[in-house]
Each structure stands twice: as structure tokens, then as C-alpha cells.
Amino acid sequence: MEDMIFYDRLQFAFTITFHYIFPQLTMGLSLIIVYFKWKFLRSQAEKYNDAAKFFMKIFAVNFTMGVITGIPMEFQFGTNWAKFSELTGGIIGQTLAMEGLFSFFLESSFLALFIFGEKLMSQRLHFLTALLVFIGSWASGYFILATNAWMQHPVGYEILDNGKYVLTNFSELFSNPWLLPAFLHNQMASLVTSSFVVASIGAFYLLGKSNIEYGKLFLKTGVIFGFISSLLVAFPTGDWNAKNVAKYQPASFAAMEGIFETEHAGAEIILIGQPNMLEKKLDNKIAVPNILSFLTYQDWNRQIYGMDKFKEEELPDNVPGLYYSYHIMVGLGTIFIGVMSLAILFLWRKKLYEFNPLLWGIMLLAPFTYVANITGWYVAELGRQPYLVYGLLKTSEGISPTVSSGNTLFTLLGFIGLYFLLGVLFLILVGKIIYKGPQPEPQTH
Amino acid sequence: MEIFWYSAISVVLAMFFILDGYDFGAGIIHLFFAKSEEDKVVIAKSAGLFWDSNEVWLVAGGGLLFMAFPTFYASVFSGFYLPLILVLWLIIFRAIGLEFRGHFNYQMWKDIWDTAFGVSSLLLALFFGMALGNVIRGVNLGGVKDGVSLYEGHYFFLPLWDSSFSPLSDTPGIIDWFTLIIGVIAVIVLAIHGANWVILKTNSSINHRLKSIIFNLNIALSVLTIFSLAVWQYINPAALDNFKDLPYLAIFPLLYFGGIIGLFFIKKIKKDIHAFYLSTLLILGGITSSLASLFPVILPSTNSVNESLTIYNTAASEYGLSVAFNWGIVGLILLVIYFIVQKRLMAGKIDDMDYGH
Ligand code: HDD
Ligand code: HEM
Ligand code: HEM
């Protein structure tokens, strides 16, 4: 039984982590493509149109990867988490089915129109297709987050005698207080990823002295979007999420902040330290007193519960993982803000394009935006433990009763092998597109 | 409400098999019959341009099934765990084959991805057929042994095969000789469908040969269909009772047989699209007849301890199904519009088209 749960969790974690590499780029990138297309409509300068089409190529590859790794996610609810699906399917099935029915086809049909149809329609309509791709991908994220929000903070349900959860109020699924902050934070975070990717392709061209004109355009656009989104991801949206966790999942909050003991007057904020689960304390700690209380409640002396206030079985089962994930996300977020502010300053002073150390910095940081997004999700998902549906349904009660651990391990190994291949091919393909660079449209009229 | 969702989901999933069916079929044709490089390119393209928009129907159907019949979703997906994960891998593998083939002009690279595309299309068709075979054969719900259920009555687990490979064994697997027959039927049906698609959408040099291939496959299909019906009657004497009780259901098998008969005239048919409609009838008729033979059951139990899964004992709550009706209608209408736009945009032979890839 124990190892059944372990492999089920590992398989879900592995496949969702891999899946989420792709949507986080597409969601943000679709907005930047809309921006390029809009600039083109306003200025009629071809380079904006080339940029939009160039990034749509990268988008398309990521979209395909998102689709083929997303179908296994949908299946796994049934294959690995059958009991969970049976009990709660009447509720989360709503939001998941809406995603499948509304968003995906919106996105894929207008993507096809954008790529194949430019010659068939006016530029205004072409802009509209880009806009609809953007709406489709954000709607997809919205419905998925509504699903997740229900698991984090269940609303609008009733539990029958046979243990089944039935929906009693549809609109509450969407007015869930967990949903809006999580959605906004998540979308800003995916915009951070995409801005860094756009900027770093620009930096790559400038450093490699190829496609210089496009390099400047990408860098500038990426830096402006990156600066705004890095700020928004921390404040107000990150802060807002943290307040929600403190309010609705206090045990997770204590664990992710690394607070072992409740302090009477004001909690300190931990900057560095390693959780020591044997002695229930933080080793090598560096902390600033009272800040956490202020950040969470705007009150320097407000008491915050530490992990000592909760029963063992209510605490997340992987406290160090949760703690590190949270600190990595916030740490990286701070670095992103720092680097993007510097870049904005140089851009304003018109020195950005020649300042190579900063270009290198942006380029090397781009992969870490993925790390920040994924660790952010680990905060959410490890923090939800030991529950599948917070406070109601334990993770151990959600697995498929008939699927043995040997079978799950077999499929997990298969996924690892297949996704490795997929990852290598993906990199080759995107590398090829970037290497080829944007192509100016041959003037036909 | 249950009946509405049952019908809507059946239609969406049937659309998936009709649409993705032709690109699976194109894969099978590609594997066995395409020899020259031009034919390979154009046949791969006749599938490659469409597979992802066709899979929309799978995603939509899967989501709706989860929403409307969660208990069924949970039971079937965990019970058919291994074949479903294999199907996922094949879908991914096939997509890789289609998407990556054209990126490097190097013979070995192309050969690898051609084979990946062809073989995974073939196996997918086989697996989908076997899945249907398993559903109509029924499973040991609750894992009953000596009159006692091992699990809750609506769960089960099937290994890939049982050493006897017999549907009559106490513990049949996914693959037994009955489901294998249905699997082969599915392969033939989709091969015919795919061949019609290739004829319709391409100017490949093997088009005229494909017509005689369809003719021959159709003969094999007729023989196997009759044989499978006899076998089915043998392993489950009550198999066709629904049609006796509700004669109007016979319309569904008529669609199927209409398709078969029509296809015997393949060489006389002037318009390629008409032949394509006939193979569409085969798929539509095949799926709907199977469903109709079970209705309202959706997964029969082979033991007498636990009752079969029906659309009533696996459905979500009445409230859930009714709110979903409101947005579901809008979504389904959008799907249809999407489908029409897509077809308009991609009409005509693909080798005459400038598709900018
Ligand atoms: C570029 C990525 C990125 C960056 C820089 C940040 N986050 Fe974040 N964070 C995410 C990406 C992310 C995420 C992946 O998007 C999550 C996972 C769930 C969600 O909705 O967003 C998330 C979740 C998440 C949660 C957990 C919510 C839960 O338990 O469900 C909290 C409390 C924060 N964030 C707070 C912050 C704060 C205070 C940041 C300050 C800098 C911050 N995040 C930066
Ligand atoms: C928004 C939609 C999401 C939903 C509905 C969802 C749902 C689930 C479910 C059902 C499980 C298995 C049960 C469990 O272990 O609690 C799970 C676990 C997990 N998910 Fe998510 N997930 C979502 C997004 C993500 C993302 C984007 C990531 C990471 C990039 C992620 C990371 C994980 C991890 C690491 C686990 C394993 C946690 C553990 O078992 O300790 N999740 N999630
Ligand atoms: C357990 C969690 C998840 C499941 C079951 C899931 C399911 C799917 C499925 C079936 C697809 C392919 C079809 C489609 O586009 O709708 C997909 C793609 C996509 N998913 Fe996920 N997903 C999960 C997590 C996430 C998360 C956390 C996000 C982001 C918030 C996300 C955003 C997307 C987007 C935007 C696409 C469109 C494809 C693309 O743009 O790359 N998914 N997902």
C-alpha cells in the first residue's frame, strides 16, 4: 500500500512537472505575440510582424508538446487516482471538462489559422487570431487553476453518505477565494518565463552578432515585459497567495516558512537555514525578527503558529522539500526583479545592447524561470499534503485500488524513457528554429 | 440527463474515431503500401496536418466522460491501466514521428520516424479495437473469486493477457482471441478509411492501387464480421437481445452493413468523397451498434455477484449534470463550428495546397 502511493505520487509529479514546462511558456508567449502583432498594425514596420511569426513557430512546437504531455495528465486522474476521480469527479470534472471543451480547440484552431491563414485574411483578422490564441491559452490555465483551487480550498460541495462529493453550487467553483490570486500569480509567473525567453533569444543574437536588428527588438521587448511581470509576480500577487495560505492552510504556511516553534510576539522571516526534522529546528539559521508577521498581517507583533501547534498527521509529509521549494521560488523572484530593474536602467540609458555581462546574465537566468515556476507548484502541491482535497480527503485514500505498485513503477519508467527522448527532440527543434532566426518576409507587393 | 450525456459523449468519441481514424488508417497504409519518397511524404502529411486538431475530440470526450460518469471513468481507466498507458505512449510516439520526420533531410532519420508513425498507428487501431472487444465481452467486476469480491464491486483490473488467451477463462486478459478478432476488424476498418482518405486528399501514385486494396480488405472485413458475430453469440448467448427487444436499434447495424456493401462498388464510385462517407459509416455503425447492444449498460459484469455498470449507477449528481448541460451545449456547438471552419480551410488535395510548413 505504502509503495503504491509512493509510485503514484512520483509518477504524477514527474509527468506534471514535464507537462508544465510547455504551458508556462505558451501562456506568456501568446501575450507577447499579441503585442508584436499589435505593434505591427500600428506602425506597419515589418520587423514586428516577423517577430510575431517567429515566436508563433516556437509557440507551435511548445503547444504540440503541451498537448501530447497533457493527454496523459487527463488520463492519469482515472488510471492512477481512480478513487479520487470517483469521489470528486462530479465536481472537478466540471472544470476539467470545460477546459477540454472550450480552451483547447479555441487555441488549436486559431493557431492553425494564424500559421496557415495570413494570406487569406486581412492583417486585422490575423491580429484577431493571435488574440484568440491568447484567450484560449489563458482560459485553459484558468479552468485548470479552478480545478486546483478546489483541491486546495474546497467550496460549493456536499458529501453524501457513500463518501461521494456532489456539486451544490456551480458558481462557487469560480468565486473560490483561492482562485483569483492563484490564477493571477500563475499567469504573471508564466509571463516572467516568456519574457526571459524572449529577452534571452535577443541577447543570444546580440552576443553572437547575428540577426542584430531582431536581437535588439527581442531584448527590449523581453526586458520591458520581464520588468513588469517580475514585479507583479512578487507584489501584489505572490504576497496575496501567501496570505491565503496563512489563512486557509496554516500548517502548510508554518512548514514553507520553516517556523518550527510558535513565537509569542511576532514571527521572524527565515532567509537561510536547513530544516532539521530530527531535532525539529532549523540549522544555520539567518533570520530577521518580526518581518513575517508584518508581511502577512501588517502587524509587527502578530502571533503566527509554528509547526509545533499542529498534529503530526496534519503537517505536510515533506517539510524540507516544501521549505526549499518556497525559498528557491522567492529567492529567484528577488533575483529576477534585481536583474530586470538593472536591465531597464541600462535600456533607459541606452547602454543595454553593448553591456555584455548583463546580456549573459539574462541569457543564463532564463532556465531558472522554469525552476521558479516548478518549485512554485511544488509549494502548492507539497503544501496541500497530506490531503488530496484539503482537510477532507487524504492522498492515500485517492489512489486506484486495483493498480499494483509493480504496474505503476513499470509505467513510470516508461514515461521517464519516453519523456527523455521527447525532451531531447524538443531541444533540437527549438534550437534549430532559434538558430535559423526570424525571416523577413520577401516583399511581394 | 444521463441519456443526453451518454449520447453527447458517444457522438464526440465517435467523431474522434472517424477523424483521427483516417489518420491512423493513413499510417497503416503508409506502413504497408507507400514505397516512393513522394508518396511517403504526402501520406505522412495527410495525417500530420490534421492529427492534433482531431485529438481535440479525444480531449473533449475524455473530459466530458469524467464529468458526467466519474465512477465509470475511474473504474475503466484503472481497470484497463496497462493498455491505456500503452495507448498514451503510442499517441506520443506517433506524434513524434509525424512532427519530426520532415526536419532533417537524412534517410535514416526519415526511416526511423516513418516506422514510428506507421507501427504506432497500426498498434493504436488494434488497441482501440481490442478495447471495444473488452467492453462488449465484459469484465470480472469486483475481481470476484469463489463468489467473493476482492475489491469494491465497480473496480477491476485486467492484465494484458492470460496464458489461455481465451475469453471463456476465469481470468481473461485484455488480449484474448475474441478481442483480438475485434482488434483486427478495427485495423481493417481504419485501413480502409485511411486509404479512402489518402485517395481523397492526395495525388499519390498509389491511389489507383488503393482501390483494389480497399476491395480486398472489404472482403476480409465481411468474413471477419460475420465470424465475430457468431463467436460473440457463442461466448455470450444474450449478446444481441437488445436488438430483439428494441427493433429500431437495428438502424445502427444497418449503417455498418450498408458501409460494407457500398464499398464493394468502390471501383465504380465516381466521387472519392462518397467512398470516404462509406467508410465513415463503417466506423459510426460499428461503434453505435456495439453501444446499442449493451444499452443502458456501459460495462457488463461477467460474474453474478456484482452488477454491471450502467449509465445510471455511474453518473454524477443530477444537479451537476444539469448545470453542465448549460455550458455543454454552448461548447458542443462551438466544436461543430470549429469543425466546419477547419474543414473549409483545409479543403482540397493537400499536395496542391501551399501549407507553409
Ligand atoms: C516565475 C515564477 C515565480 C516567482 C518568481 C514567484 N512565484 Fe510564487 N508561485 C509560482 C511562481 C512564481 C507558481 C508556479 O506559478 C505558483 C504555483 C501555484 C500558483 O498558483 O502559482 C506559485 C505559488 C506560490 C505560493 C503558494 C500558493 C499555494 O500554496 O497554493 C505562494 C505563497 C507564492 N507563490 C508566493 C510567492 C512570493 C511571495 C513570491 C515573491 C517573490 C513568489 N511567489 C515568486
Ligand atoms: C493546476 C492543476 C493541477 C492539478 C489539478 C493537480 C493535481 C494533482 C494531483 C491529483 C496530485 C496527486 C495527489 C497528490 O499527491 O496530492 C498531484 C500531485 C503533485 N503535483 Fe499537482 N496538480 C496540478 C498542477 C501541478 C503542477 C503545475 C505541478 C508542477 C509543476 C504539480 C506538481 C505536483 C507534485 C510535485 C505532486 C506530488 C506531490 C506529492 O505527492 O507529494 N502540480 N497534483
Ligand atoms: C493536473 C493538471 C493538468 C492536467 C490534467 C492537464 C491537462 C492538459 C491537457 C489534456 C492538455 C492538452 C489539451 C489542451 O490543450 O487542453 C493540456 C495542455 C495545456 N495545459 Fe495542461 N494540464 C494540467 C496542468 C496544467 C497547468 C497547471 C497549466 C497551467 C496553468 C496547464 C495549462 C495548459 C495549457 C495552457 C495547455 C495548452 C497547450 C499549450 O498551450 O501548451 N496545464 N493540459
Side-chain angles (χ1 to χ4, degrees), chain B residues 33 166 279 285 333 355:
Chain B
F33 304 109
S166 161
S279 50
I333 293 173
Y355 31 64

Side-chain angles (χ1 to χ4, degrees), chain B residues 12 34 130 138 168 180 214-215 283:
Chain B
V12 172
M130 288 198 296
L168 299 166
L180 207 57
I214 292 177
F215 187 81
I283 301 180

